Amino acid sequence: MGSNFLAVAVGAFSGAIYTSLYGRFADGGHPQMVWYVLAAHAIVSIAVLGLFQRIAGGFAQQEA
């Protein structure tokens, strides 16, 4: 139960960042550029999870 809401918290905090970025891109006349930022975020997330798996050995279920 401790980490179930972690994704919701990350989405809530990053949503404010992406909204302000979209506003900046829209003011500059290129609102579609926010998709490149989101794609970069996804690629970095994949790389970090891959690095975690190599270093820590992946996720393992804990015994109760």
Side-chain angles (χ1 to χ4, degrees):
M1 187 76 174
S3 64
N4 283 345
F5 301 108
L6 184 60
V8 174
V10 169
F13 290 123
S14 65
I17 294 169
Y18 289 133
T19 301
S20 65
L21 278 175
Y22 177 78
R24 289 184 140 204
F25 286 135
D27 290 343
H30 300 286
Q32 69 275 11
M33 296 296 286
V34 76
W35 289 107
Y36 293 112
V37 175
L38 290 169
H41 185 181
I43 291 169
V44 168
S45 300
I46 291 168
V48 167
L49 285 173
L51 185 65
F52 173 80
Q53 186 175 8
R54 283 189 178 218
I55 291 173
F59 297 100
Q61 186 163 348
Q62 296 178 349
E63 296 293 326

